[in-house]
């Protein structure tokens, strides 16, 4: 990894943590929803400070270059996150629907 | 002093009758409110048949959402103390008085019904989690809480209002640590707890790991930047 890439990675991870904490400070975000991003940022930070760690893992998996290994793992993680978010949105839609239906039936009962 | 016992209930049809009947019969001096968290069994039917004081959430919100509903109720009805009490029979009502006395006499904001003030912790995976949370609370607040994960807690009037009106105020160790760091007084009282008799706990392995991650990040990192809700 080049020094520039490492610096960019470090900055990105620090910015992620900073932004998340700011959201929480303003009471705009649930703490449990930040867990994924904190861990993500921490991993990125780890790899950019100790690039040899990524080298070893890349070699172990037989990926040609370390940067490719980083890209691959980031894409993979984001795919998982995307999938989990789809499930969450599905659940939210169901809950919203149930809520609206129950209120409507309650209002009807009152008449 | 007006005291409300908040009983969050999720699929507690096998336990709720025993727990609430005991409260009504033997401890009529306290008010109670059951918050049904969208149970899929017949918890609601049992409560309605018995004429219990029930707040019935139409969808499942999780423990913190259900408990917050209880706190909103306590705030709106102007209660002095609110006590978090399990609907599964683990908590013993005989210790309620001790919690209230402690809060009243020493003017404590949060009183925890603790399993480990005078008793020793047994060694198990669950207790390791308990110890870890205890250690990071000690690290960040300088104060020792022996049983941070105990679900039996008393909150006084100021805390009731904060819980009722803010997000990120779950009835969990991280909120306690945050409030302690902000100067609220917290004390533990030795209590006995029973094993859950029927039904199952919602903490499986995956949920436990997520729980521990959230607690660590919240206590170690987040609480330094959090603004206190009013």
């Amino acid at each position: 990894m080049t020094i520039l890439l490492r610096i960019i990675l470090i900055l990105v991870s620090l910015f992620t943590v900073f932004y998340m904490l700011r959201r929480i400070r303003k009471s705009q975000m649930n703490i449990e929803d930040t867990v994924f991003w904190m861990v993500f940022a921490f991993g990125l930070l780890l790899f950019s400070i100790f690039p040899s760690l990524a080298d070893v893992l890349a070699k172990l998996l037989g990926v040609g270059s370390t940067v490719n290994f980083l890209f691959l793992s980031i894409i993979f993680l984001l795919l998982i996150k995307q999938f989990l978010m789809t499930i969450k949105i599905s659940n939210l839609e169901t809950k919203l629907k149930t809520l609206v239906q129950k209120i409507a039936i309650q209002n009807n009962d009152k008449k | 002093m007006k005291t409300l016992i908040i009983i969050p209930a999720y699929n507690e049809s096998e336990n709720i009758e025993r727990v609430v009947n005991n409260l009504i019969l033997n401890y009529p001096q306290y008010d109670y409110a059951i918050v049904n968290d969208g149970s899929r069994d017949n918890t609601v039917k049992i409560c309605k048949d018995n004429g219990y004081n029930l707040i019935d959430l139409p969808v499942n919100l999780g423990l913190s959402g259900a408990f917050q509903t209880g706190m909103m109720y306590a705030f709106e009805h102007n209660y002095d103390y609110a006590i978090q009490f399990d609907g599964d029979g683990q908590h013993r009502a005989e210790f309620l008085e001790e919690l209230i006395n402690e809060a009243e006499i020493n003017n404590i904001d949060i009183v925890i019904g603790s399993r480990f003030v005078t008793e020793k912790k047994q060694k198990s995976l669950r207790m390791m989690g308990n110890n870890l949370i205890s250690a990071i609370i000690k690290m960040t607040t300088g104060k020792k809480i022996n049983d941070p994960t105990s679900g039996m807690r008393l909150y006084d009037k100021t805390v009731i209002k904060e819980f009722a009106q803010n997000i990120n105020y779950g009835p969990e160790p991280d909120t306690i640590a945050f409030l302690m760091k902000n100067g609220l007084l917290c004390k533990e009282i030795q209590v006995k707890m029973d094993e859950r008799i029927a039904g199952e706990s919602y903490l499986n392995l995956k949920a436990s790991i997520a729980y521990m991650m959230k607690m660590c990040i919240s206590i170690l990192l987040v609480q330094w930047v959090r603004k206190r809700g009013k």
Side-chain angles (χ1 to χ4, degrees):
Chain A
M1 272 195 279
T2 63
I3 289 291
L4 185 66
L5 180 65
R6 285 174 62 186
I7 291 173
I8 290 175
L9 285 182
I10 291 175
L11 286 179
V12 166
S13 23
L14 289 181
F15 179 75
T16 310
V17 173
F18 173 76
Y19 188 71
M20 291 284 146
L21 291 178
R22 224 173 71 108
R23 286 276 140 180
I24 296 175
R25 183 177 166 78
K26 290 172 153 181
S27 290
Q28 288 172 329
M29 195 167 175
N30 290 320
I31 294 172
E32 51 261 45
D33 293 330
T34 65
V35 170
F36 172 85
W37 298 107
M38 295 282 180
V39 174
F40 186 77
F42 180 75
L44 223 51
L45 204 61
L46 206 69
F47 282 133
S48 39
I49 296 174
F50 308 106
S52 53
L53 212 68
D55 290 337
V56 172
L57 285 174
K59 219 170 251 160
L60 209 72
L61 292 174
V63 181
S65 79
T66 310
V67 175
N68 278 351
F69 163 76
L70 266 190
F71 288 159
L72 182 72
S73 36
I74 290 174
I75 291 173
F76 192 55
L77 267 178
L78 291 181
L79 269 180
I80 294 175
K81 184 66 187 160
Q82 174 81 21
F83 178 67
L84 292 177
M85 277 175 74
T86 311
I87 295 176
K88 202 165 184 179
I89 292 172
S90 257
N91 284 336
L92 281 176
E93 277 176 350
T94 313
K95 269 187 190 173
L96 182 68
K97 200 178 71 190
T98 315
L99 197 58
V100 171
Q101 288 165 337
K102 286 204 174 167
I103 291 176
I105 290 174
Q106 254 173 24
N107 284 341
N108 179 273
D109 285 344
K110 268 185 215 150
K111 264 187 272 172
Chain B
M1 288 285 186
K2 269 174 81 182
T3 304
L4 179 74
I5 297 168
I6 300 171
I7 310 168
Y10 179 62
N11 294 346
E12 293 291 5
S13 60
E14 291 169 86
N15 299 305
I16 196 79
E17 227 170 349
R18 180 164 41 85
V19 171
V20 179
N21 282 346
N22 176 36
L23 283 176
I24 294 172
L25 272 176
N26 303 320
Y27 304 91
Q29 66 270 41
Y30 313 126
D31 294 345
Y32 72 93
I34 303 165
V35 185
N36 171 54
D37 190 14
S39 295
R40 291 172 180 279
D41 61 2
N42 52 357
T43 303
V44 173
K45 190 176 178 302
I46 293 173
C47 291
K48 282 188 176 158
D49 288 351
N50 283 296
Y52 294 156
N53 182 25
L54 173 73
I55 304 169
D56 185 19
L57 302 180
V59 291
N60 178 272
L61 289 184
L63 176 66
S64 67
F67 181 69
Q68 188 176 43
T69 314
M71 286 303 231
M72 286 164 95
Y73 180 93
F75 177 62
E76 270 170 29
H77 291 80
N78 220 5
Y79 280 95
D80 298 299
Y81 297 121
I83 299 178
Q84 183 187 350
F85 197 77
D86 273 8
D88 61 8
Q90 284 188 73
H91 298 163
R92 292 202 193 166
E94 66 209 65
F95 294 105
L96 291 170
E97 202 187 340
E98 287 182 41
L99 295 188
I100 296 166
N101 281 342
E102 181 64 36
E104 230 169 336
I105 294 166
N106 296 326
N107 212 1
I108 306 286
D109 301 297
I110 300 170
V111 184
I112 300 177
S114 165
R115 290 161 289 182
F116 313 116
V117 179
T118 51
E119 306 272 321
K120 270 247 155 82
K121 275 181 209 183
Q122 62 275 43
K123 288 201 170 68
S124 68
L125 206 61
R126 175 167 291 211
M127 286 309 130
M128 253 173 63
N130 200 316
N131 278 330
L132 179 64
I133 294 176
S134 190
I136 56 179
I137 289 180
K138 172 95 180 143
M139 239 168 71
T140 55
T141 68
K143 293 183 188 94
K144 180 93 184 152
I145 297 289
N146 292 298
D147 193 4
T149 59
S150 156
M152 188 184 189
R153 305 192 188 92
L154 173 146
Y155 306 89
D156 77 351
K157 214 166 185 167
T158 45
V159 189
I160 291 176
K161 186 172 179 227
E162 270 189 71
F163 267 76
Q165 297 182 337
N166 293 288
I167 79 162
N168 286 325
Y169 271 76
E172 304 290 356
D174 60 332
T175 312
I176 309 290
F178 173 63
L179 291 173
M180 275 164 65
K181 225 171 114 298
N182 279 279
L184 287 192
L185 297 175
C186 176
K187 223 185 144 200
E188 288 181 284
I189 292 286
Q190 176 71 44
V191 301
K192 277 204 190 91
M193 285 191 196
D194 295 317
E195 292 294 311
R196 129 193 301 278
I197 294 173
E200 57 181 306
S201 162
Y202 70 99
L203 269 187
N204 51 30
L205 185 67
K206 191 179 150 240
S208 305
I209 291 170
Y211 178 84
M212 287 305 296
M213 294 275 266
K214 186 198 160 187
M215 284 307 135
C216 289
I217 287 178
S218 181
I219 296 173
L220 289 174
L221 207 60
V222 173
Q223 66 168 339
W224 300 98
V225 298
R226 258 177 91 175
K227 256 195 298 202
R228 183 147 165 228
K230 280 279 145 21

